[in-house]
Amino acid sequence: MTDAHSGDATRSDAIRAKITARRTTLDGELVDYWTREALRLDTLAAGARWNWMARSYQRKAERARAQGAVFAAREAARVKASGLDQPGPADSGTA
């Protein structure tokens, strides 16, 4: 195996580690989705030409964050119920 191929193997291991670190439950995936959606809407609000559009995007972003919080709570409850010692990615680390 050449050095170029060994570098590819190292890179693929890093990618594989990122994939396995992702959330594996639907609730976890929905937390990620709603977080991304809130960030997208915040960006649109910042670039809106008219204030009424910015306020609309801000309200939508707040609703997206609220949806994400619902799923984060469900994910945290699942982690707590399973008795895992380590908090999942949805947990904020605060009790």
Side-chain angles (χ1 to χ4, degrees):
M1 200 183 239
T2 65
D3 290 334
H5 292 295
S6 66
D8 291 341
T10 304
R11 231 175 306 145
S12 73
D13 289 342
I15 292 169
R16 194 171 298 120
K18 284 182 182 180
I19 291 171
T20 56
R22 285 186 180 169
R23 302 173 193 273
T24 56
T25 64
L26 178 59
D27 289 331
E29 291 295 325
L30 288 169
V31 170
D32 287 342
Y33 169 77
W34 287 113
T35 302
R36 286 191 316 271
E37 184 66 6
L39 289 173
R40 184 184 75 85
L41 290 165
D42 285 336
T43 303
L44 289 173
R49 179 177 287 187
W50 298 291
N51 284 337
W52 62 271
M53 283 302 300
R55 288 190 304 269
S56 174
Y57 286 133
Q58 289 168 347
R59 284 191 299 272
K60 288 180 181 182
E62 289 170 9
R63 285 194 297 265
R65 280 190 211 75
Q67 283 288 80
V70 168
F71 293 112
R74 288 175 60 177
E75 183 75 3
R78 177 179 287 109
V79 168
K80 185 177 179 182
S82 68
L84 295 176
D85 293 336
Q86 298 178 358
D91 292 341
S92 63
T94 59

